[in-house]
Amino acid sequence: MASTSLSSTRSSSSSWTPTQNKQFERALALYDRDTPDRWQNVAKAVGGKSPEEVKRHYEILIQDLHHIESGQVPIPNYKNTMSSIRGVANEQRILKTLRFQ
């Protein structure tokens, strides 16, 4: 998630709860880049965040994705449990969706 980014730009951003991050992910899936007033809609779906904050959160997420995809972030060694497999599959689905936006 973008809220756990180690980027120095992160220090100037507000904190995000796990619930807000999940709402953010769902809103991004619903409001793609062609949606008029995308950031206003995403902010409304998240609640408690301005359009500028959600746009910046998205930019940080994209930076994180670039770092991951370029091999700058090591892939964690998760235990091979059914819940972690489902979690990884869900994260892969979200990343795939974000790449096409």
Side-chain angles (χ1 to χ4, degrees):
M1 285 184 275
S3 66
T4 58
S5 171
L6 298 177
S7 168
S8 61
T9 58
R10 185 69 196 117
S11 62
S12 65
S13 299
S14 62
S15 62
W16 287 64
T17 66
T19 299
Q20 287 174 319
N21 272 311
K22 186 52 70 180
Q23 292 167 329
F24 174 75
E25 291 170 4
R26 289 182 179 142
L28 286 180
L30 184 60
Y31 304 111
D32 67 12
R33 66 178 165 195
D34 296 326
T35 301
D37 301 320
R38 180 185 194 189
W39 302 120
Q40 289 83 355
N41 289 317
V42 173
K44 185 186 248 184
V46 171
K49 300 292 180 183
S50 70
E52 294 78 18
E53 287 174 303
V54 295
K55 184 176 181 184
R56 181 66 189 135
H57 198 60
Y58 177 78
E59 291 166 351
I60 292 168
L61 175 63
I62 295 303
Q63 288 175 357
D64 288 348
L65 287 173
H66 288 299
H67 288 126
I68 292 166
E69 291 176 343
S70 67
Q72 296 176 11
V73 176
I75 297 175
N77 187 12
Y78 294 112
K79 292 181 182 177
N80 191 8
T81 65
M82 193 51 113
S83 62
S84 67
I85 291 170
R86 274 182 265 175
V88 169
N90 188 41
E91 292 298 321
Q92 288 174 340
R93 180 186 54 77
I94 291 168
L95 291 173
K96 187 175 183 180
T97 301
L98 289 173
R99 280 189 210 123
F100 295 111
Q101 293 186 8

